[in-house]
Amino acid sequence: MIATISTGLIVAIIAFVVLDVFAVVFGLSFARAHKAQRAAASGLPAAPRSTAKPTSRRDFFRGSLLISMGVFLAEFGGASLAFLWPSLIGGFGSKINAGAVGDIKNQIQNTGGPVYVGAGRFYVVPYLGKPNNGVDYAALGATTEGVMALYQRCVHLGCRVPFCATSKWFECPCHGSKYNYAGEYKFGPAPTGMERFAIKVDSSGNLIVDTSTKFGGPPRGTDTINEPPQGPFCVAPG
Ligand code: FES
């Protein structure tokens, strides 16, 4: 969270600096041109180094329009940069450090549920990496050290899929799709299981989740963990 706030602050500062530089440069240009015009009108010689021609009213308004467009483009560029920045330096769409894999596994064991990483839009779930209907996610790099990162997005129409603490399944509130603890399809309109991100453990023991690389979920019918719901569903069956 702290990293996210710092990033936003940095981007805002950069955007304002760019905007200010734009405004100052254009302002100085026009001030110089206007001065030359007044000098010409009064019959005085223009400043020695100025080569600016007298500015007509039409040129002045045209210039004002250009300034407005320049400011707008600077603001637009700053806003675009702010929007893209998380992808460039550690937000969704990049590699995310989810923390020490040992701590993650302890947390999973203590809470009985997945570890949710909002910045990366994924859950870390326990998983032993058996091939899924011929797809070996361990070989693809989607499982390691007994964990896997599931993309939170429902593969039906894209709603965020919460984890249900009673059933211990993922249950989509939009149209009732349900996935087991490994994100494998169980019920509802979803065409497959949940998607997974590429993961690895770095030399410091941190789980690095690459949210720019995702693998399609296992096809319907896949069940490699054989875990029925552990209690009542959170979302009524559709
Ligand atoms: S979006 Fe999840 S079931 Fe439709």
Side-chain angles (χ1 to χ4, degrees):
M1 174 64 80
I2 291 173
T4 305
I5 291 171
S6 300
T7 299
L9 194 59
I10 291 168
V11 171
I13 290 171
I14 291 174
F16 278 113
V17 168
V18 169
L19 185 59
D20 285 351
V21 169
F22 235 115
V24 168
V25 168
F26 272 100
L28 286 175
S29 304
F30 265 85
R32 192 182 302 162
H34 194 57
K35 193 173 173 187
Q37 184 192 19
R38 282 171 52 198
S42 64
L44 294 173
R49 295 181 56 195
S50 174
T51 57
K53 296 177 186 172
T55 307
S56 68
R57 184 182 295 258
R58 179 184 298 175
D59 287 343
F60 182 79
F61 283 117
R62 188 180 297 157
S64 300
L65 182 62
L66 284 173
I67 290 178
S68 303
M69 287 177 64
V71 170
F72 170 76
L73 288 174
E75 286 179 336
F76 183 74
S80 301
L81 186 63
F83 182 75
L84 294 172
W85 195 269
S87 296
L88 300 176
I89 65 166
F92 183 72
S94 69
K95 291 181 181 171
I96 293 180
N97 184 344
V101 70
D103 293 344
I104 290 172
K105 288 161 97 170
N106 285 340
Q107 190 175 335
I108 288 172
Q109 190 159 13
N110 293 338
T111 62
V115 170
Y116 178 63
V117 180
R121 306 178 196 173
F122 61 81
Y123 299 93
V124 181
V125 298
Y127 190 66
L128 293 177
K130 301 171 196 162
N132 282 210
N133 273 356
V135 182
D136 188 347
Y137 286 101
L140 289 174
T143 72
T144 185
E145 296 277 340
V147 294
M148 175 168 62
L150 298 178
Y151 187 16
Q152 69 177 19
R153 180 178 172 276
C154 182
V155 291
H156 178 222
L157 292 177
C159 292
R160 176 177 176 266
V161 186
F163 181 73
C164 175
T166 48
S167 68
K168 305 284 184 194
W169 280 11
F170 293 94
E171 302 182 26
C172 183
C174 293
H175 313 98
S177 288
K178 293 180 171 51
Y179 313 84
N180 68 13
Y181 201 0
E184 294 162 346
Y185 170 86
K186 301 306 290 182
F187 301 121
T192 67
M194 295 167 74
E195 296 164 303
R196 297 105 199 273
F197 290 123
I199 59 176
K200 69 174 185 178
V201 176
D202 70 10
S203 57
S204 301
N206 294 314
L207 184 70
I208 308 299
V209 180
D210 183 356
T211 56
S212 70
T213 304
K214 71 179 187 301
F215 305 105
R220 285 186 176 196
T222 301
D223 188 350
T224 61
I225 61 172
N226 192 27
E227 281 188 12
Q230 306 295 299
F233 288 126
C234 295
V235 177

